[in-house]
């Protein structure tokens, strides 16, 4: 079955904490069985269905809606990660971290740190 070859590894990669068991040639008709967190199980009949039809049906039954995915992405953006810089983050510039180069707006940068000096004196000639 194409679905188990192409899609199951993707599902396993995206969901590392989900167990996937593939039983081959043991049942008269192919099906997919999913167990929910509350103990219920869902059986999906996949006989004579294309790979795209199976995927659409599983997303419709088991997946999250587009709105839920969009809300989760927005929530993740709002989380202030200390590695992020900018106006919406905890730090505006990397110069605010101790041990980093001071901000060029406050302290003049040595000429040999600038790109134009490097390319004129140290780097390869650009033709």
């Amino acid at each position: 079955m194409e679905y188990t070859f192409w899609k199951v590894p993707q599902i396993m990669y995206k969901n590392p904490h989900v167990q996937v068991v593939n039983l081959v040639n043991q049942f008269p008709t192919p099906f997919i069985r999913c167990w929910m967190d509350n103990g219920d199980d869902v059986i999906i009949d996949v006989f004579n269905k294309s790979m795209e039809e199976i995927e659409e049906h599983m997303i419709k039954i088991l997946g999250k809606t587009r709105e839920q995915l969009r809300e989760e992405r927005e929530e993740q953006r709002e989380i202030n990660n200390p590695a992020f810089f900018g106006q919406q983050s905890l730090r505006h510039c990397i110069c605010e971290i101790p041990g980093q180069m001071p901000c060029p707006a406050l302290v003049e940068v040595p000429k040999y740190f600038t790109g134009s000096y490097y390319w004129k004196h140290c780097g390869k000639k650009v033709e």
Side-chain angles (χ1 to χ4, degrees):
M1 186 171 180
E2 289 183 20
Y3 189 81
T4 57
F5 181 77
W6 291 107
K7 297 295 181 177
V8 170
Q10 294 175 4
I11 293 170
M12 291 170 59
Y13 179 78
K14 293 277 187 172
N15 304 292
H17 302 294
V18 175
Q19 181 182 4
V20 177
V21 178
N22 190 9
L23 304 173
V24 181
N25 297 330
Q26 293 188 358
F27 299 100
T29 60
F31 66 90
I32 296 173
R33 180 181 235 163
C34 303
W35 286 272
M36 305 298 156
D37 289 336
N38 61 2
D40 294 341
D41 63 333
V42 177
I43 298 175
I44 302 170
D45 181 26
V46 295
F47 182 70
N48 271 349
K49 290 187 180 177
S50 69
M51 189 168 52
E52 291 79 20
E53 291 173 340
I54 295 169
E55 185 176 18
E56 288 175 13
H57 187 70
M58 286 187 67
I59 290 172
K60 181 179 170 185
I61 300 298
L62 304 171
K64 296 179 182 179
T65 62
R66 293 185 191 273
E67 292 80 25
Q68 288 175 328
L69 294 171
R70 184 175 36 81
E71 289 174 3
E72 287 179 1
R73 268 188 267 125
E74 288 176 4
E75 288 175 5
Q76 286 180 348
R77 284 186 196 152
E78 293 175 1
I79 296 173
N80 283 329
N81 188 335
F84 293 157
F85 297 99
Q87 296 202 1
Q88 303 296 329
S89 300
L90 295 172
R91 296 182 182 92
H92 178 67
C93 184
I94 196 168
C95 66
E96 297 175 12
I97 296 177
Q100 297 297 322
M101 197 67 192
C103 192
L106 304 174
V107 178
E108 188 175 343
V109 179
K111 286 187 179 181
Y112 59 89
F113 281 177
T114 61
S116 59
Y117 180 87
Y118 176 80
W119 288 110
K120 286 180 185 175
H121 300 286
C122 305
K124 298 177 182 176
K125 298 282 183 183
V126 178
E127 297 178 19

